Every structure is written in structure tokens, then in C-alpha cells.
Amino acid sequence: MRLQASGVRLGYGDRIIVDGLDLGIEAGTVTTIIGPNGCGKSTLLRALGRLLKPAGGEVLLDGKRIDRIPTREVAKILGVLPQAPVAPEGLTVADLVARGRHPHQTWYRQWSSDDESAVSEALSMTGLLDLADRPLDELSGGQRQRAWISMALAQGTELLLLDEPTTFLDLAHQVEVLELVRRLHAEAGRTIVMVLHDLNLAARYADRLVAMRAGRVVAAGTPHEVLTEALLRDVFDLDAKIISDPVAGTPLVVPIGIRPSP
Amino acid sequence: MSTPAASGRVRAGTRAVRLASASWRLHPRAVAVTITGLVLLALLMALNMRIGDIQLSLADVLAAITGEGPTHFVVMELRLPRALTGALVGAALGLSGAITQAIARNPLASPDVLGVTTGASVTVVAVLVANGAMYGGASGALAGLGVPATALLGGLAGALIVYAFAWRRGLDGYRLVLVGIGVTAVFTNVKYWLLTVGDVEDAGKAMTWISGSLNGRGWEHVTPVALALAVLVPATLFGTRSLGALRFGDDTVTGLGVRMNLARALMLLAAVLLAAVATAAAGPIAFVALAAPQIALRLAGTSHPPLLVSAVAGAVLANAADLVARTLFAPVELPVGVVTAVLGAPYLVYLLIRVRREARS
């Protein structure tokens, strides 16, 4: 297990959202967390990325408690893309992506050739080389999201945690981002954990799905094991038919209607 | 995967400087602005040193610095320290402002919001008024060494109060600004109340101080600010990288491996010390800390105010304002803070309009 949550209790102040949750992330897998709004998906992801300190239980990175590893060392192994990231105004794409090199730099080594090649590699993987000098505020939502992903890539971590990387994107751009994730996994062998809303895309691009409801893991396994008509009823209160995706062969959700809550 | 070999391809306007395993990024335009600023500063200081009971020409000033004679004493002991105090205080305020704006993530923030300047003002006014009532006028010791020390303590206390109210399981930029504005308003009102209950003559003295003035500043004012800058400038430059990261959202900052609350607290401490030392030497000179970083940002063409350029811009601004203050209604001298306030008010309005327009677009 590269990353493991055991018995974590998570919340903000007195409001506990997740209580006693266990989850392990194996090396070299793409794991996608699904579930209705407010079920604790993002909260769990933030705890896995040590952005939120558990009120109980522990998060282990390579077997060691993540809060006991210096945060800078964690940043060399694990990169996080938060849900609605905030950048200072006037920043260019290249400035943003270069910031991803932060954990690798010191006061006397601020712009090594490694930094430079990591940044240009990240920009070319996301197709942003030509936009490098453009201010972030002038980009479209899709371009901006790709710029943030480039920053996480430039960080050069084996583990990537992406919180809804496809929000604000149209379908073509969603597919583009997820194809990029697949390439990162296939070519660079990175371990990726994401939160996604689109179940069909989640099924197509993940090795492993984790379905959550009300702070608990309801089901975890391959998309075929997890995405069943019964699970959609339990987790989303949704009546749906599952057919086979004619392109990828993965489960495809066709909604029928909302089940009245019992 | 193509990797552009030419440095500067990836970041416009920067050059990579590499030496063995060490490497830096150089911003040629920022360097040029810094050098130009320093030349301008030297010129403004020389122009300032012409003014006084004996009017000197620029050549006289230069001759007096290098040569002997009666003008040597006047320039070296009276006029140079005043000009230097202006430069150092301006630099400290510019640097403090750049740090504050980065941490507050707000171009409208300045160390005034940290409670330093108003804390210093209210304490100095309190001491002046209380002493006046008890001893019939502030003593020489209080006016010389007493006021700067009082201001320093008051400024630090003010910052501590703001910090204590703003801290809640960490430090949030917005919360800091809001708490700062509230505490500042309270201090300001206490200050005015003290001025109205105090003796008229003491109130007059206090008013000169709280406008911010470089009048009569000697080497005893230069030394503490110079020492503080000698320590704090390298310390803050060391923290530039962390400060750059702190401009991002909290989750991004932590994700990049920055110890967010520690970095924020240390940089804020530096900003508070710089502003407190500056205020102790010259009183609260308005708007320099607000304007200098924004001027530096526009001149250097960087994405955020560069610290060193902000310091130079502050020094230039303070000396330029002092020159205006001394020549506009000559031979009557205005306190430098009056000029910066008059120049700063329309600038603040401009900033507010610009920020609002950007928020709408």
C-alpha cells in the first residue's frame, strides 16, 4: 500500500463528516472516488493529501504516518490538486507551473536545469507550451484547469491526488484531461487518486472505484464490481439501467429516475 | 516530449543564472529598475541636503561630503542623517508593505492593517498627553529617545493585539485584514479622544509626530533603522520563495510542502518589526507601505511585488515626498506624512476602482 487511511475520523471543527473509514491505495493504480454531494469524498482526499488533519485514526504514506514526515518530503512524493485552487492575480501559466518545483528548490538552487525541463515537459504534456506566457486570468476554464494539472505534473510526484479535475470543463475537455491521467498512469507508472462526478467517465478511466455515502465506503473494487443497479440505488437513490459501454466495454449508467427516499 | 534548451523560453523576461549546483532566476528588468531607483534615490537625497538655514548648491553638497570646513559639519551631522532616515524608513515601509500584501493576498493591505502604526500613534499620544498633564510638558529625554522607544513598544503591542484576534486555528488573510481594520478604528478613536482631553500644547506636539515627520532626525534615528534593515532584509530575502508560495490558496501552499502557518507567522513578524522600527524613527508616514510595492510591481513587470524593488521604491518615495514637503511652501516645512497622505489618497481611490473593475470583469 502506498497510501492508506485507517480508522480516520474527519471533519471541520465539531462537524464530523467521516468516522472510522479505512481505505488503501495500491501502487500504480488509478482509483476514483464517487458518491453523492456532501458524502465526504473531497474531505477524504484532503486527508489523504495531509491537507486536513484527522481528528482520529491515521493516514500512512509508504507505511509511515504522513503527519510525521516533513511536509516538504511529502511534497516530493505526493502532489495534490485542490478542488477550487486559488492563484494570485496576474500570474502567467509558466509562473504557475514553475511553482510546482517548489519542494525541489532551496535558496541557492532556485532554477536548476531539472526544474526547467520538468516545467517544459509538464507544459508540453498538457499542450500549453504556446500559452506559457499568457496570464492565467485570460485563459478559458479548460485551459486554466490544464495549467493547474501541469503544475501538479511539474512537481514530479509518483502519487497524484486530483479533486474533481474535470469540473467546469465541457465533455471534450473532460475526456482530454482523463486521457492525460491515463497516459500518466500508463507511461510514467504514477499512482492516481481522483474524485469524479461523472460515473461513466469514472468507470472508463479508473482501475478501481470507491463508492461513498454519508462518510462510509459502501463498495470498492473494479468498475464492473462496483457499478451495479443495486449500488446506484443504495448510494445515489437512483434507479438506473447498467449497459455495456459500446466503446470501452465498461459499465455505462443510463438513469431512469430518482427513487423517493424511504 | 520536447524540451526547449534555451533558457528563458519557458519564462518570459527571466534569465537563468547557474553556477555549479547553484542556480537562480534573474529578472533583468527588475535589476535595471533597482539600479535606476538607487541612482534616483542618491539624487533626491542630494537635493534634500541642499535645503536648510544655509542654502547650498548640489556642488556644495558634494564638496561638503568629501571636504572639510563648516559646511562639512552641517551636511554630515544634520542633513545627511535626515535624508538617510527618510531613505531607510521608506525602504523598511516598502518592504513591510510588500510582505503584508503577499500574506493578505490583497494589494490594498498595508502594515497599517497590522495594527503597528496606529498602535504606535495611540501609545505616543497617550504618553505625551499623560506626561504633559503630570510634568508640564514632555521632557527632552522623552522627545529624543523616549518617543521612538514608546512608539516601538506601542507598535509591537498593537500588532500583537491584531494577531491574537486574527489567529483561529491558523492565520487567514481575510480575517487578518478585517480584524486589523477593526482594531485600527478603535485605536484611532482612542487617539483622537486623548488629543481632545489633552493639553493644547501637548496635542500640538503629538499631532506633528502622528503626521510622520523627518524634521530634526539625526544619526540616533538612522542607527536603529539601519541595524534593523541589516538583519531583516537578508532574512526576508531568504523567505522570498516561501512568500511566493503563500500567495496561493491554503491547500496549494500545503501541497507544495510549505509549513504554512510557520512561514506566515515569520514573514508577518518581519513585516511588523520593519513597520514598527520605521514608525519609531519618523512617526507613521502614510501610504508609502501601500504604494511602494504596487509601483515596484508595475515598474519591474513581475507577477508580484519584488521585495528589493519595493524597498528601493519606498526609499525613493519617502525622499521625494520630503523634498516636496520642504519646497512647496518654503520656508515653511510640512511634515512629510502630510505630503504622502495627500498624494496617497487619490492613489488609494485609483487602486480601489481598479480592483473593483477587475473583480467585475
Side-chain angles (χ1 to χ4, degrees):
Chain A
M1 287 304 163
R2 290 236 60 180
L3 197 56
Q4 195 166 10
S6 61
V8 285
R9 185 178 158 85
L10 309 170
Y12 302 92
D14 294 333
R15 203 162 58 93
I16 295 299
I17 295 165
V18 172
D19 202 357
L21 181 146
D22 297 299
L23 180 70
I25 306 294
E26 276 175 61
T29 55
V30 176
T31 305
T32 297
I33 307 174
I34 56 171
N37 291 330
C39 72
K41 308 181 292 280
S42 288
T43 307
L44 174 62
L45 199 77
R46 293 187 73 231
L48 289 173
R50 54 94 172 79
L51 303 179
L52 179 71
K53 199 176 156 55
E58 54 190 26
V59 173
L60 302 174
L61 174 63
D62 296 328
K64 272 178 281 185
R65 271 187 63 164
I66 199 164
D67 55 335
R68 300 229 172 113
I69 311 172
T71 180
R72 192 186 155 88
E73 296 309 310
V74 175
K76 290 178 187 169
I77 305 170
L78 180 151
V80 194
L81 178 60
Q83 194 172 55
V86 180
E89 63 171 293
L91 206 71
T92 64
V93 173
D95 281 329
L96 176 74
V97 179
R99 185 57 64 183
R101 298 302 295 166
H102 191 92
H104 303 278
Q105 297 166 332
T106 58
W107 68 270
Y108 61 86
R109 208 176 54 227
Q110 298 200 1
W111 195 233
S112 67
S113 37
D114 282 353
D115 293 336
E116 197 163 311
S117 52
V119 168
S120 48
E121 200 173 298
L123 283 170
S124 70
M125 277 192 96
T126 50
L128 287 176
L129 263 181
D130 293 334
L131 298 179
D133 296 329
R134 287 270 292 279
L136 210 56
D137 328 309
E138 288 178 12
L139 303 187
S140 71
Q143 290 168 332
R144 203 173 304 152
Q145 191 63 17
R146 273 150 63 202
W148 280 101
I149 293 171
S150 304
M151 175 187 178
L153 293 184
Q155 203 172 325
T157 56
E158 291 162 27
L159 272 152
L160 267 178
L161 308 188
L162 311 172
D163 196 350
E164 295 192 23
T166 55
T167 30
F168 312 124
L169 302 186
D170 58 48
L171 187 57
H173 282 117
Q174 289 184 36
V175 170
E176 190 182 332
V177 164
L178 292 171
E179 285 291 338
L180 177 67
V181 168
R182 174 181 276 173
R183 260 167 57 213
L184 287 172
H185 171 239
E187 292 169 17
R190 299 200 203 206
T191 307
I192 292 157
V193 185
M194 335 181 245
V195 168
L196 286 183
H197 267 299
D198 189 305
L199 299 178
N200 295 331
L201 290 177
R204 187 185 285 196
Y205 288 98
D207 303 322
R208 206 155 161 268
L209 284 186
V210 175
M212 284 181 72
R213 176 164 194 173
R216 290 178 308 109
V217 172
V218 179
T222 64
H224 282 288
E225 289 164 1
V226 173
L227 270 193
T228 60
E229 288 167 10
L231 178 114
L232 289 171
R233 270 196 301 276
D234 290 348
V235 170
F236 292 96
D237 294 322
L238 181 77
D239 271 328
K241 198 165 168 54
I242 303 283
I243 58 174
S244 180
D245 183 330
V247 177
T250 47
L252 190 73
V253 177
V254 182
I256 300 167
I258 298 296
R259 277 170 67 86
S261 298
Chain B
M1 249 129 275
S2 68
T3 305
S7 57
R9 165 68 190 83
V10 158
R11 284 170 62 91
T14 65
R15 289 279 168 281
V17 179
R18 299 203 176 103
L19 197 78
S21 70
S23 58
W24 290 274
R25 233 165 14 200
L26 212 61
H27 219 283
R29 192 165 145 198
V31 175
V33 169
T34 307
I35 293 168
T36 315
L38 288 173
V39 172
L40 190 63
L41 176 65
L43 183 71
L44 283 167
M45 283 173 67
L47 286 173
N48 259 320
M49 285 192 277
R50 287 167 55 235
I51 306 170
D53 287 338
I54 319 162
Q55 295 288 338
L56 301 173
S57 69
L58 266 184
D60 292 338
V61 172
L62 287 181
I65 290 171
T66 50
E68 294 289 315
T71 50
H72 179 73
F73 174 81
V74 170
V75 168
M76 290 307 285
E77 291 304 316
L78 302 175
R79 298 188 184 178
L80 181 61
R82 175 183 182 148
L84 267 182
T85 306
L88 295 174
V89 161
L93 289 175
L95 193 54
S96 179
I99 296 169
T100 312
Q101 291 177 2
I103 288 177
R105 293 181 196 138
N106 191 335
L108 295 170
S110 82
D112 300 328
V113 158
L114 302 179
V116 181
T117 35
T118 43
S121 299
V122 75
T123 318
V124 167
V125 170
V127 169
L128 281 177
V129 168
N131 263 299
M134 279 185 270
Y135 308 113
S139 63
L142 181 78
L145 198 130
V147 168
T150 309
L152 188 64
L153 288 177
L156 295 179
L160 204 64
I161 290 170
V162 169
Y163 196 82
F165 280 117
W167 180 275
R168 204 167 65 181
R169 270 185 277 125
L171 207 59
D172 174 71
Y174 267 118
R175 195 175 156 81
L176 182 73
V177 170
L178 286 178
V179 168
I181 289 171
V183 171
T184 300
V186 172
F187 281 167
T188 307
N189 285 313
V190 172
K191 181 182 78 184
Y192 285 127
W193 174 72
L194 284 169
L195 284 173
T196 53
V197 300
D199 183 68
V200 177
E201 208 169 301
D202 295 325
K205 266 181 211 142
M207 275 311 284
T208 312
W209 190 86
I210 57 178
S211 325
S213 168
L214 291 170
N215 194 18
R217 296 306 190 266
W219 287 108
E220 73 273 18
H221 294 96
V222 173
T223 319
V225 191
L227 286 176
L229 281 174
V231 175
L232 291 172
V233 167
T236 47
L237 289 181
F238 197 76
T240 303
R241 267 174 11 88
S242 299
L243 196 66
L246 287 177
R247 290 170 211 273
F248 286 80
D250 287 3
D251 280 359
T252 308
V253 179
T254 307
L256 288 171
V258 177
R259 292 166 75 184
M260 185 172 64
N261 283 323
L262 179 73
R264 238 177 230 168
L266 285 178
M267 290 309 280
L268 213 54
L269 180 67
V272 164
L273 288 175
L274 285 163
V277 169
T279 309
I285 299 179
F287 286 110
V288 173
L290 175 75
Q294 294 300 314
I295 293 171
L297 166 75
R298 280 160 184 76
L299 290 178
T302 46
S303 61
H304 52 80
L307 294 185
L308 220 48
V309 186
S310 302
V312 174
V316 169
L317 216 56
N319 259 284
D322 200 28
L323 191 62
V324 173
R326 302 172 84 182
T327 48
L328 198 61
F329 298 110
V332 177
E333 283 193 12
L334 296 172
V336 63
V338 171
V339 174
T340 54
V342 168
L343 290 177
Y347 176 72
L348 184 65
V349 172
Y350 156 76
L351 266 187
L352 275 167
I353 292 169
R354 203 183 61 88
V355 168
R356 279 199 54 187
R357 191 175 295 152
E358 274 173 12
R360 251 183 289 140
S361 68

